[in-house]
Amino acid sequence: MSVVRISDDSLAKACGADALAAAFEKAGATVERVSSWGMHWLEPLVEIGGRGFGPATPGDVDAILDGSSALDIGTIAEHPFIAGQQRLTFARAGLTRPLSLEDYAATGGWAGFERAKGLGSEKILEEVTQSGLRGRGGAGFPAGIKWQTVARAAGEEKYIVCNADEGDSGTFADRMLMEGDPFALVEGMAIAGLAVGAGHGFIYLRSEYPDAIAKMEGAIALSAEIVAPFKLEVRVGAGAYVCGEETSLLNSLEGKRGEVRAKPPLPALEGAFGKPTVVNNVLTLAAVPHILAEGGASLYESLGIDRSKGTMPVQLAGNIRHGGLYETAFGISLGTLVNDIGGGTESGRPVKAVQVGGPLGAYMHPDRFDLPFDYEAFTAAESLIGHGGITVFDETADMGAMARFAFEFCAAESCGKCTPCRIGAVRGAELIDRIRDGGRVRDRIELAPQMHNTKTAARSQEDEVQLVEDLCEVMRDGSLCALGGFTPFPVMSAMRHWPEDFGLERKV
């Protein structure tokens, strides 16, 4: 009987993959647990001899095995969702057993690391810089420049820290990579260690990712002799959103309160335990093995547009028909990703908005679907790519409520260190309520005879709109980190594109 391959990715397991695997084994099949292809709407996806069947349940086992199943999607590698991708970081997705060193080596694993050992620090730095790789965590800072800064920093002891605290809504690429191809992250971190002279690395993971924690700890143990003397360990955080910010992460990693540090000094000069530290996210480090393979830097540099080089694993989520992971070169339009690849909304209703870059990303109106997926283009449109997550909303979404949620989210997740974020987010939620209520009358304190310097007239809706605009400007310019600084993006974009959801008149 053919081997039946089913993902052990946590999303597939949440959809019933474990019960499905048990049903195939009960039917006498040999089951192999592999990584996920990233076609999440088809999970649990069954693969037999390259053909896919999904989403499958234990009740479908007999029909799949006797060839009569209506769930047959044909050859998986030729499915339009897969065939249209340019997979570099996720080249092994769906193809290998996550903790199999044999599978990893057979698919090009360790080639970049072995070559890097022969190149030496300066040449590694040169190739990473040449590739144009930018941090995939959101800031988009050139990885090669950051690595050069750490390499040239004074000090015998340096660290590599992987930011695996993936907390943005609608994002899952880090989790998929760690659960499906954990050796790629180990290899990327070991190469970074060679480049900057670091002998120790930390992977900072949130406790909400138990499967990823187990896979990374397993991969570190299995590959310890291969990457020696470079050492790796997993540090688990409690899941605070602000610990995705690099200085909060470093505080938490050191056992301190997850609170933002003022910069300077930059972590590249004074990072973990006061030592020069590379802090990159999972996708950045996992892209490195490919770049360091023979010809990898040139290929990476040739993909993408302008200063956005290489590929981006885009995560399609929310109210979308074909949710999943789609890795492609930068430059593809937002509309192509949402409508052509994602298939529009799952509800069948028209798309009202998409939020790119997690809960702090701007809401994009469909009239901006021509926008290319490119760091600079999104910045010019007062938006951000962030971690590459796209969350889709249909016409029933209340954008006024979503703007309020942005302030609520910021208030709940603020570390409390800076006033614009800590206080501004609370006041912002109140202002959204007042705008939607049409303004407000003065309260009894403002009208007290002792308050000689306050106005007595009611505050109009326009007054509250001006106040929220001023507040957003203060939060953007005065917050210590992106949590407070980016919260204005979803708020102002929602007010600009859907004023009627706030009870405001649309300006012609």
Side-chain angles (χ1 to χ4, degrees):
M1 185 175 287
S2 300
V3 173
V4 176
R5 294 158 66 89
I6 299 172
S7 172
D8 68 351
D9 177 275
S10 58
L11 179 139
K13 291 164 71 174
C15 294
D18 286 346
L20 183 63
F24 272 107
E25 287 175 341
K26 188 176 180 180
T30 299
V31 176
E32 224 172 53
R33 302 304 294 268
V34 294
S35 53
S36 171
W37 284 90
M39 296 192 290
H40 291 161
W41 78 98
L42 291 174
E43 294 288 6
L45 178 64
V46 176
E47 180 187 347
I48 301 177
R51 297 188 74 82
F53 304 85
T57 67
D60 299 311
V61 169
D62 290 343
I64 291 174
L65 290 175
D66 68 23
S68 63
S69 174
L71 300 177
D72 188 349
I73 64 166
T75 302
I76 296 176
E78 296 174 359
H79 190 283
F81 192 86
I82 299 296
Q85 299 191 41
Q86 292 174 287
R87 286 190 161 180
L88 298 179
T89 305
F90 281 86
R92 296 183 188 85
L95 302 176
T96 56
R97 293 167 292 177
L99 290 178
S100 168
L101 280 170
E102 294 77 15
D103 286 6
Y104 188 67
T107 51
W110 310 118
F113 179 62
E114 292 301 325
R115 182 169 174 269
K117 286 195 291 186
L119 290 177
S121 171
E122 283 303 319
K123 187 62 177 173
I124 298 172
L125 294 172
E126 181 184 318
E127 294 202 5
V128 172
T129 304
Q130 177 204 338
S131 72
L133 175 66
R134 295 167 70 169
R136 297 293 190 249
F141 189 81
I145 302 298
K146 181 180 285 187
W147 288 22
Q148 287 176 22
T149 304
V150 176
R152 290 164 177 64
E156 292 293 316
E157 202 170 4
K158 299 174 183 178
Y159 296 107
I160 308 297
V161 171
C162 174
N163 182 349
D165 194 59
E166 185 177 53
D168 283 349
S169 50
T171 60
F172 44 81
D174 288 358
R175 180 193 56 73
M176 265 190 70
L177 190 290
M178 291 186 287
E179 292 182 7
D181 196 10
F183 294 122
L185 180 56
V186 171
E187 185 178 357
M189 294 184 71
I191 293 172
L194 290 172
V196 306
H200 202 127
F202 298 94
I203 300 169
Y204 184 87
L205 253 164
R206 54 180 43 232
S207 58
E208 289 95 334
Y209 279 4
D211 286 9
I213 293 169
K215 288 283 180 59
M216 287 312 311
E217 289 179 336
I220 289 170
L222 289 168
S223 61
E225 291 186 7
I226 297 173
V227 300
F230 186 72
K231 294 182 179 178
L232 269 172
E233 64 177 281
V234 171
R235 293 269 173 114
V236 179
Y241 182 81
V242 77
C243 287
E245 193 279 334
E246 61 180 358
T247 61
S248 295
L249 182 155
L250 291 172
N251 271 346
S252 179
L253 186 143
E254 294 175 7
K256 302 171 185 170
R257 184 168 184 259
E259 189 177 70
V260 175
R261 299 177 183 174
K263 291 187 281 189
L266 296 171
L269 300 175
E270 288 186 34
F273 309 104
K275 308 297 182 184
T277 303
V278 168
V279 184
N280 281 139
N281 90 323
V282 173
L283 298 182
T284 312
L285 292 162
V288 171
H290 167 77
I291 290 170
L292 264 294
E294 191 67 45
S298 297
L299 173 60
Y300 208 81
E301 182 187 18
S302 70
L303 300 173
I305 59 170
D306 300 328
R307 293 172 54 206
S308 299
K309 300 294 187 184
T311 61
M312 184 71 190
V314 179
Q315 300 125 88
L316 302 173
N319 190 341
I320 191 165
R321 188 179 303 277
H322 297 151
L325 185 133
Y326 194 90
E327 183 175 355
T328 185
F330 282 99
I332 190 171
S333 75
L334 186 57
T336 300
L337 286 165
V338 174
N339 292 323
D340 300 341
I341 296 166
T345 64
E346 170 66 18
S347 65
R349 297 174 181 271
V351 175
K352 181 171 184 175
V354 299
Q355 188 175 34
V356 182
L360 306 181
Y363 290 105
M364 308 297 290
H365 191 278
D367 66 10
R368 295 309 316 271
F369 275 11
D370 60 329
L371 201 63
F373 217 69
D374 163 51
Y375 287 108
E376 278 63 43
F378 268 67
T379 300
E382 299 183 47
S383 183
L384 54 96
I385 285 178
H387 189 41
I390 296 177
T391 306
V392 180
F393 300 84
D394 74 10
E395 63 182 359
T396 63
D398 179 346
M399 302 312 293
M402 299 309 295
R404 190 184 195 285
F405 170 75
F407 279 128
E408 286 182 301
F409 180 82
C410 182
E413 298 292 344
S414 174
C415 74
K417 184 157 186 174
C418 68
T419 304
C421 176
R422 184 183 69 250
I423 304 296
V426 177
R427 297 287 89 87
E430 295 168 353
L431 281 170
I432 296 296
D433 289 341
R434 293 175 191 170
I435 291 171
R436 284 158 66 91
D437 288 343
R440 74 174 179 92
V441 296
R442 302 283 176 177
D443 63 33
R444 64 183 183 84
I445 299 298
E446 292 172 289
L447 296 175
Q450 296 87 345
M451 304 297 283
H452 302 295
N453 59 345
T454 59
K455 297 178 181 178
T456 56
R459 288 185 61 83
S460 69
Q461 199 177 41
E462 289 70 26
D463 291 335
E464 304 296 353
V465 170
Q466 183 60 55
L467 197 53
V468 81
E469 290 176 352
D470 292 345
L471 173 65
C472 283
E473 184 178 336
V474 171
M475 291 181 70
R476 184 195 65 202
D477 297 339
S479 298
L480 273 176
C481 78
L483 177 54
F486 285 179
T487 294
F489 279 124
V491 174
M492 296 310 300
S493 59
M495 290 182 67
R496 182 166 59 249
H497 294 302
W498 298 276
E500 58 275 12
D501 285 5
F502 294 80
L504 301 170
E505 290 186 9
R506 180 175 290 277
K507 295 178 181 177
V508 179

